[in-house]
């Protein structure tokens, strides 16, 4: 069975910044349910979705060209749909950008193949049974630790570090809000 969705092809709408091809991608994620009822570290419950290519053991996050008819975060969502068959809620704040060389020009000293990649966090809300690039991209949910071991590119490991740091900040903020709410609630009960 094939997907009714079609992947974009070609580079006629590709954005460039000087000699850099602009690329957008994401780290699709989900939180595993905490089955034992005990609180555990957020990162221990985190799974990220990575994609593969035929005849390769290493993995990458979905990414591809940012085109002139979409915003950078829309491009990241499109790549997640085309390459990994997922939809979700994209963070409007980028995890950062990284400069790298395309895989076909990694060992070249010329400007050709230079890319600037923007990465975002994508909370997955839907996994499709069929997706446009399913024949060339498998998908696999892995722990963050596994993602480091399996990831093909160092710049993607750095994006994963940025993602983890943003989750820690968010988790800490939530804990502070919860603690302040509990203190306020306790003082209301005791009249202090």
């Amino acid at each position: 069975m094939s997907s009714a969705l079609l992947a974009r092809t070609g580079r006629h709408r590709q954005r460039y910044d000087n000699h850099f091809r602009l690329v957008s991608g994401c780290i699709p994620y989900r939180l595993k349910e905490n089955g034992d009822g005990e609180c555990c570290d957020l990162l221990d419950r985190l799974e990220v979705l990575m994609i593969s290519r035929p005849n390769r053991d290493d993995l990458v996050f979905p990414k591809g060209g940012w085109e002139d008819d979409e915003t950078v975060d829309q491009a990241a969502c499109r790549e997640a749909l085309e390459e990994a068959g997922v939809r979700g809620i994209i963070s409007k704040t980028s995890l950062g950008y990284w400069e790298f060389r395309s895989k076909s020009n990694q060992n070249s000293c010329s400007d050709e193949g230079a890319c600037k990649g923007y990465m975002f966090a994508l909370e997955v809300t839907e996994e499709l049974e069929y997706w446009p690039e399913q024949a060339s991209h498998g998908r696999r949910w892995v722990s963050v630790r596994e993602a480091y071991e399996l990831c093909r590119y160092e710049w993607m490991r750095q994006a994963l570090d940025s993602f983890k740091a943003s989750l820690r900040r968010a988790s800490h903020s939530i804990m502070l809000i919860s603690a302040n709410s509990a203190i306020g609630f306790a003082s209301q009960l005791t009249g202090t």
Side-chain angles (χ1 to χ4, degrees), residues 48-178:
V48 294
L49 185 64
M50 300 187 79
I51 59 172
S52 63
R53 291 209 179 260
N55 304 316
R56 292 198 67 117
D57 293 328
D58 53 6
L59 302 173
V60 296
F61 294 112
K63 63 135 182 77
W66 173 15
E67 298 188 355
D68 64 8
D69 64 340
E70 59 192 353
T71 64
V72 67
D73 56 310
Q74 288 171 338
C77 288
R78 178 180 48 77
E79 291 296 334
L81 178 64
E82 290 176 358
E83 294 185 347
V86 294
R87 290 187 174 113
I89 303 166
I90 191 94
S91 170
K92 296 297 182 184
T93 304
S94 167
L95 297 170
Y97 74 88
W98 289 264
E99 293 177 2
F100 59 94
R101 306 205 54 76
S102 70
K103 63 182 176 245
S104 59
N105 291 294
Q106 284 183 338
N107 298 322
S108 171
C109 294
S110 73
D111 285 344
E112 188 176 338
C115 298
K116 186 185 289 185
Y118 295 84
M119 293 294 285
F120 295 84
L122 177 79
E123 181 183 359
V124 174
T125 58
E126 181 182 7
E127 272 186 79
L128 303 177
E129 186 176 352
Y130 305 104
W131 63 96
E133 297 181 17
Q134 186 171 8
S136 58
H137 292 96
R139 64 182 176 200
R140 182 170 158 196
W141 287 102
V142 298
S143 70
V144 172
R145 185 177 18 79
E146 289 174 293
Y148 278 104
E149 295 168 10
L150 296 169
C151 193
R152 184 180 313 162
Y153 302 116
E154 179 59 29
W155 73 270
M156 285 191 173
R157 286 186 199 90
Q158 293 170 3
L160 191 55
D161 285 335
S162 180
F163 176 55
K164 286 175 34 182
S166 70
L167 280 180
R168 281 192 188 106
R169 285 190 302 273
S171 177
H172 181 71
S173 295
I174 290 168
M175 288 181 354
L176 286 176
I177 291 168
S178 295

